[in-house]
Amino acid sequence: MTFSIVARSDDGRLHGVAVASKFLGVGAVVPAAEAEVGALATQARANLGYRPQGLTFLRTGLAADDVVAGLVAADSSRTQRQLGIVDAEGRAATYTGTDCHDWAGGQAGSGWAVQGNILVGPQVVDEMRDAWLDGADTSFPDRLLGALRAGDLAGGDRRGRQSAALLVVGRAGGYGSGSDVVLDLRVDDHPDPVTELARLLELHRMLFDRPDPAALLDLTGDLADEVSRLLTGLGYPGDDSALEARLAAWAGVENLEERLVPARIDPVVLAHLRTRA
């Protein structure tokens, strides 16, 4: 009932899963990932036990093929399951049980596995594969989403659309470097979930990506005067000596604190400030 891609970034630092389905809250069921360990997608009468068991196997250093073999061997309903895995080394495997509803199948290559069931046809997997391979010059989350979007445009789940999710993990890559969850975005019920997922990714990027050091602007002169004036208009008055504190107070309310830099301003923060004002 689902199509997904499981992958590792080319530099080996990130693992992730992108998935869409005519199913409520697919992000709560299909994906699992652990930084520097691997990622997997369990679907087609999804066996939720595959998620913790699979990650446990991956932690021991088992290759993706061996993890698949270990999981399905102990599952009496394995002929109804579908599974994709990428391990810490980028080895990938996909499995489709013989009793999965047509069309069902998958493909795997170095660092990626694509699979789906109850699809309009094999072109969904083909298009996802091609989008992934052609997306090497994009960011890892964008590359995952691009593959998912390609599958969706190729027809995706033949029953229709309902939910989509994007999970990315990397060591200390989460909010404030306090977790390994870089992204965990879910669209649980929407008429166009993949498009909505793309909107959420852009919003997440604006709020939580680290600023580009080369793009930072000095908070002095006319720019400082403009920022002070805009902050005053938004209810954060004060003199220039407190400008950074005023900016931080406003940015905290807007959830932009990850983009603050002493004595300088991120153009993303400036653009948002101008929009709000």
Side-chain angles (χ1 to χ4, degrees):
M1 301 180 291
T2 303
F3 54 102
S4 66
I5 177 167
V6 182
R8 188 194 75 155
S9 63
D10 290 341
D11 62 9
R13 297 175 59 190
L14 301 173
H15 282 82
V17 182
V19 57
S21 181
K22 178 66 170 65
F23 185 87
L24 179 66
V26 70
V29 176
V30 170
E34 185 173 326
E36 300 177 358
V37 169
L40 64 90
T42 174
Q43 56 201 49
R45 294 181 59 84
N47 184 337
L48 299 189
Y50 281 3
R51 298 189 305 178
Q53 293 164 12
L55 292 176
T56 296
F57 284 148
L58 287 168
R59 285 188 211 106
T60 70
L62 281 178
D65 280 332
D66 294 327
V67 175
V68 168
L71 290 173
V72 303
D75 186 353
S76 61
S77 297
R78 57 186 170 272
T79 62
Q80 298 176 305
R81 313 293 194 196
Q82 195 169 55
L83 178 64
I85 296 180
V86 175
D87 63 29
E89 302 302 317
R91 296 167 296 196
T94 188
Y95 167 86
T96 299
T98 55
D99 292 328
C100 286
H101 293 296
D102 283 338
W103 186 88
Q107 299 179 32
S110 179
W112 62 273
V114 172
Q115 46 282 314
N117 62 95
I118 316 187
L119 304 182
V120 297
Q123 66 269 28
V124 176
V125 168
D126 290 342
E127 291 296 324
M128 293 177 73
R129 174 204 64 208
D130 292 347
W132 172 259
L133 295 175
D134 291 343
D137 60 345
T138 62
S139 73
F140 184 64
D142 284 324
R143 195 176 181 187
L144 285 170
L145 184 60
L148 193 69
R149 187 190 295 278
D152 189 52
L153 293 173
D157 188 328
R158 62 182 170 88
R159 300 166 309 150
R161 299 179 173 94
Q162 187 169 11
S163 65
L166 177 62
L167 174 65
V168 175
V169 299
R171 185 67 65 202
Y175 178 78
S177 301
S179 82
D180 295 337
V181 180
V182 179
L183 287 166
D184 187 1
L185 301 177
R186 303 180 185 187
V187 179
D188 287 342
D189 185 27
H190 195 280
D192 191 0
V194 175
T195 298
E196 176 64 5
L197 189 63
R199 186 189 71 82
L200 293 180
L201 178 57
E202 285 304 309
L203 183 59
H204 187 282
R205 179 175 288 119
M206 181 191 78
L207 294 174
F208 304 122
D209 274 9
R210 306 302 195 275
D212 177 3
L216 294 173
L217 304 171
D218 291 333
L219 197 53
T220 58
D222 291 342
L223 181 56
D225 291 341
E226 179 192 2
V227 169
S228 180
R229 175 174 49 79
L230 295 175
L231 289 170
T232 297
L234 289 168
Y236 297 86
D239 58 38
D240 290 348
S241 65
L243 182 57
E244 286 190 53
R246 293 161 57 203
L247 181 60
W250 170 81
V253 171
E254 297 292 320
N255 295 314
L256 285 164
E257 60 273 11
E258 289 288 278
R259 286 188 170 276
L260 292 180
V261 178
R264 309 183 83 185
I265 188 168
D266 184 342
V268 173
V269 174
L270 179 60
H272 191 64
L273 176 62
R274 286 168 172 165
T275 299
R276 283 287 190 243

